[in-house]
PDB file of all heavy atoms in Angstrom:
ATOM      1  N   LEU A   9      -2.609 -49.377  -0.450  1.00 85.00           N
ATOM      2  CA  LEU A   9      -3.240 -48.224   0.204  1.00 85.00           C
ATOM      3  C   LEU A   9      -2.313 -47.575   1.269  1.00 85.00           C
ATOM      4  O   LEU A   9      -2.373 -46.408   1.376  1.00 85.00           O
ATOM      5  CB  LEU A   9      -4.567 -48.642   0.845  1.00 85.00           C
ATOM      6  CG  LEU A   9      -5.749 -48.857  -0.096  1.00 85.00           C
ATOM      7  CD1 LEU A   9      -6.889 -49.422   0.676  1.00 85.00           C
ATOM      8  CD2 LEU A   9      -6.097 -47.533  -0.808  1.00 85.00           C
ATOM      9  N   THR A  23       8.702 -26.579  -4.287  1.00 85.00           N
ATOM     10  CA  THR A  23       7.620 -25.535  -4.470  1.00 85.00           C
ATOM     11  C   THR A  23       7.896 -24.703  -5.677  1.00 85.00           C
ATOM     12  O   THR A  23       9.064 -24.161  -5.919  1.00 85.00           O
ATOM     13  CB  THR A  23       7.715 -24.583  -3.213  1.00 85.00           C
ATOM     14  OG1 THR A  23       7.395 -25.401  -2.030  1.00 85.00           O
ATOM     15  CG2 THR A  23       6.592 -23.546  -3.307  1.00 85.00           C
ATOM     16  N   SER A  33      10.887  -9.253 -12.697  1.00 95.00           N
ATOM     17  CA  SER A  33      11.628 -10.175 -13.499  1.00 95.00           C
ATOM     18  C   SER A  33      11.789 -11.453 -12.591  1.00 95.00           C
ATOM     19  O   SER A  33      11.827 -11.338 -11.411  1.00 95.00           O
ATOM     20  CB  SER A  33      12.973  -9.600 -13.926  1.00 95.00           C
ATOM     21  OG  SER A  33      13.884  -9.551 -12.810  1.00 95.00           O
ATOM     22  N   ALA A  39      15.664 -13.004  -5.964  1.00 95.00           N
ATOM     23  CA  ALA A  39      16.416 -12.381  -4.958  1.00 95.00           C
ATOM     24  C   ALA A  39      15.382 -11.876  -3.784  1.00 95.00           C
ATOM     25  O   ALA A  39      15.887 -12.004  -2.588  1.00 95.00           O
ATOM     26  CB  ALA A  39      17.049 -11.067  -5.611  1.00 95.00           C
ATOM     27  N   LYS A  55      23.100 -16.188  12.230  1.00 63.00           N
ATOM     28  CA  LYS A  55      24.557 -16.134  12.150  1.00 63.00           C
ATOM     29  C   LYS A  55      25.106 -16.915  11.003  1.00 63.00           C
ATOM     30  O   LYS A  55      26.283 -16.910  10.715  1.00 63.00           O
ATOM     31  CB  LYS A  55      25.183 -16.561  13.465  1.00 63.00           C
ATOM     32  CG  LYS A  55      24.748 -15.697  14.605  1.00 63.00           C
ATOM     33  CD  LYS A  55      25.306 -16.336  16.003  1.00 63.00           C
ATOM     34  CE  LYS A  55      24.809 -15.470  17.088  1.00 63.00           C
ATOM     35  NZ  LYS A  55      24.146 -16.106  18.098  1.00 63.00           N
ATOM     36  N   VAL A  68      16.641 -21.240  -3.734  1.00 94.00           N
ATOM     37  CA  VAL A  68      15.751 -20.612  -4.668  1.00 94.00           C
ATOM     38  C   VAL A  68      16.440 -20.517  -6.087  1.00 94.00           C
ATOM     39  O   VAL A  68      17.547 -20.059  -6.094  1.00 94.00           O
ATOM     40  CB  VAL A  68      15.449 -19.190  -4.221  1.00 94.00           C
ATOM     41  CG1 VAL A  68      14.403 -18.539  -5.165  1.00 94.00           C
ATOM     42  CG2 VAL A  68      14.733 -19.247  -2.827  1.00 94.00           C
ATOM     43  N   GLN A  83      16.976 -28.448   0.749  1.00 74.00           N
ATOM     44  CA  GLN A  83      18.269 -29.081   0.805  1.00 74.00           C
ATOM     45  C   GLN A  83      18.203 -30.439   1.719  1.00 74.00           C
ATOM     46  O   GLN A  83      18.920 -31.385   1.433  1.00 74.00           O
ATOM     47  CB  GLN A  83      19.375 -28.152   1.340  1.00 74.00           C
ATOM     48  CG  GLN A  83      19.547 -26.992   0.447  1.00 74.00           C
ATOM     49  CD  GLN A  83      20.425 -26.020   0.988  1.00 74.00           C
ATOM     50  OE1 GLN A  83      20.352 -25.611   2.207  1.00 74.00           O
ATOM     51  NE2 GLN A  83      21.402 -25.456   0.137  1.00 74.00           N
ATOM     52  N   ASP A 100     -10.280 -29.614   5.322  1.00 83.00           N
ATOM     53  CA  ASP A 100     -10.518 -29.877   3.935  1.00 83.00           C
ATOM     54  C   ASP A 100      -9.181 -29.875   3.147  1.00 83.00           C
ATOM     55  O   ASP A 100      -8.167 -29.621   3.671  1.00 83.00           O
ATOM     56  CB  ASP A 100     -11.468 -28.743   3.286  1.00 83.00           C
ATOM     57  CG  ASP A 100     -10.879 -27.289   3.314  1.00 83.00           C
ATOM     58  OD1 ASP A 100      -9.697 -27.225   3.604  1.00 83.00           O
ATOM     59  OD2 ASP A 100     -11.548 -26.394   3.096  1.00 83.00           O
ATOM     60  N   ARG A 102      -7.792 -28.003   0.785  1.00 80.00           N
ATOM     61  CA  ARG A 102      -6.988 -26.802   0.708  1.00 80.00           C
ATOM     62  C   ARG A 102      -6.207 -26.501   1.896  1.00 80.00           C
ATOM     63  O   ARG A 102      -5.102 -26.161   2.018  1.00 80.00           O
ATOM     64  CB  ARG A 102      -7.860 -25.650   0.294  1.00 80.00           C
ATOM     65  CG  ARG A 102      -8.274 -25.687  -1.152  1.00 80.00           C
ATOM     66  CD  ARG A 102      -9.107 -24.510  -1.530  1.00 80.00           C
ATOM     67  NE  ARG A 102      -9.660 -24.603  -2.888  1.00 80.00           N
ATOM     68  CZ  ARG A 102     -10.507 -23.808  -3.424  1.00 80.00           C
ATOM     69  NH1 ARG A 102     -10.977 -22.859  -2.702  1.00 80.00           N
ATOM     70  NH2 ARG A 102     -10.827 -24.010  -4.663  1.00 80.00           N
ATOM     71  N   GLU A 105      -3.305 -28.992   2.153  1.00 77.00           N
ATOM     72  CA  GLU A 105      -2.260 -28.668   1.352  1.00 77.00           C
ATOM     73  C   GLU A 105      -1.420 -27.468   1.941  1.00 77.00           C
ATOM     74  O   GLU A 105      -0.234 -27.478   1.811  1.00 77.00           O
ATOM     75  CB  GLU A 105      -2.815 -28.274  -0.055  1.00 77.00           C
ATOM     76  CG  GLU A 105      -3.286 -29.457  -0.811  1.00 77.00           C
ATOM     77  CD  GLU A 105      -4.099 -29.026  -2.056  1.00 77.00           C
ATOM     78  OE1 GLU A 105      -4.307 -27.822  -2.310  1.00 77.00           O
ATOM     79  OE2 GLU A 105      -4.329 -29.957  -2.795  1.00 77.00           O
ATOM     80  N   ILE A 115      -8.317 -21.773  14.734  1.00 71.00           N
ATOM     81  CA  ILE A 115      -9.767 -21.803  14.879  1.00 71.00           C
ATOM     82  C   ILE A 115     -10.338 -20.528  15.495  1.00 71.00           C
ATOM     83  O   ILE A 115      -9.593 -19.913  16.285  1.00 71.00           O
ATOM     84  CB  ILE A 115     -10.167 -23.024  15.773  1.00 71.00           C
ATOM     85  CG1 ILE A 115      -9.484 -23.026  17.155  1.00 71.00           C
ATOM     86  CG2 ILE A 115      -9.896 -24.341  15.090  1.00 71.00           C
ATOM     87  CD1 ILE A 115      -9.994 -24.037  18.065  1.00 71.00           C
TER      88      ILE A 115
END
Side-chain angles (χ1 to χ4, degrees):
L9 283 174
T23 299
S33 74
K55 297 176 184 123
V68 179
Q83 293 174 317
D100 67 9
R102 288 183 182 170
E105 289 170 352
I115 53 175

